[in-house]
Amino acid sequence: MSEGINRRRALRRVGALLGGIVSAPTVAGVLSGCERMAGPDWSPQTLSAAQNQMVDSISEIIIPATDTPGASAANVNRFIDAMVGESYPPDDRDRFLQGLENLDARCTDDYGAPFAACTEEQQQALVGELDDEHFGPDTPEFDRDAPPFFRMMKELVIIGYYTSEIGATEELKTNRVPGYYDGNVPYDEVGRAWT
């Protein structure tokens, strides 16, 4: 991670991206750190191989590669595996894993195949539906201590990405010596979020 950016500072910024709402298990996990995410011979410890592939695909749908690398390149699936396995209490871990099973079942009901066997368009449509259901304008309040699966998933993807080296150094731009501040600059003039 770049000089001057640590996980606590990154978490504050990601909290701002999420509107200041980050669930308790995620905050605890990020602040404690995840130890087992590195290495070329990494394998998931909490997720099954199929769940890991599903998490990687969903992550890439949420933060796709554009002119900067996406969630897959940032190994967000490894972050999620570590967070769910190391930092989530058993109830939250079970709710997350059950959510993956429910998503697979919903995909089978809607498209006649599990998530991994669906086309990219079908996967994107399903993730879009989940996003509308959990982040749309008519979304009911939720319990921060027991958030629904897709809220946990999206939160983990965003936090995993923006606290990764790729997210912190390639996606976000840092101006180490800020100059004049203008709080009313059109987005198309700056091009992306700045930290």
Side-chain angles (χ1 to χ4, degrees):
M1 200 166 286
S2 72
E3 183 182 330
I5 297 178
N6 61 34
R7 283 203 179 268
R8 287 180 191 273
R9 190 167 168 202
L11 182 61
R12 280 195 298 272
R13 291 179 182 168
V14 171
L17 287 171
L18 291 170
I21 300 174
V22 179
S23 66
T26 303
V27 171
V30 171
L31 294 179
S32 68
C34 298
E35 298 300 320
R36 58 178 193 194
M37 297 186 315
D41 51 340
W42 177 89
S43 64
Q45 302 298 307
T46 305
L47 304 171
S48 69
Q51 289 171 328
N52 181 58
Q53 182 57 45
M54 186 186 306
V55 164
D56 190 50
S57 297
I58 295 168
S59 299
E60 189 67 17
I61 292 168
I62 293 171
I63 302 181
T66 55
D67 61 332
T68 58
S72 288
N75 293 320
V76 168
N77 61 313
R78 295 180 182 196
F79 172 81
I80 292 173
D81 180 72
M83 284 287 294
V84 172
E86 294 174 7
S87 301
Y88 274 29
D91 289 346
D92 292 317
R93 182 180 315 116
D94 293 345
R95 189 170 54 261
F96 185 86
L97 297 175
Q98 185 62 51
L100 288 173
E101 288 181 33
N102 294 345
L103 178 62
D104 221 19
R106 180 173 171 174
C107 205
T108 300
D109 290 345
D110 291 355
Y111 302 113
F115 189 85
C118 286
T119 65
E120 281 185 39
E121 292 77 20
Q122 291 169 329
Q123 291 176 350
Q124 290 173 352
L126 186 56
V127 171
E129 289 172 19
L130 289 169
D131 197 76
D132 290 343
E133 291 168 14
H134 294 280
F135 292 94
D138 299 326
T139 303
E141 288 292 318
F142 69 97
D143 181 358
R144 279 187 65 196
D145 293 327
F149 162 74
F150 192 72
R151 278 199 169 265
M152 293 166 54
M153 179 70 196
K154 190 166 185 179
E155 181 177 276
L156 285 168
V157 169
I158 292 170
I159 291 172
Y161 184 75
Y162 286 104
T163 60
S164 72
E165 184 174 355
I166 286 174
T169 62
E170 294 185 43
E171 173 66 21
L172 296 175
K173 293 185 176 184
T174 301
N175 186 356
R176 295 193 190 279
V177 184
Y180 169 76
Y181 174 77
D182 183 355
N184 190 22
V185 177
Y187 179 77
D188 59 354
E189 287 183 23
V190 293
R192 70 170 38 127
W194 286 73
T195 61

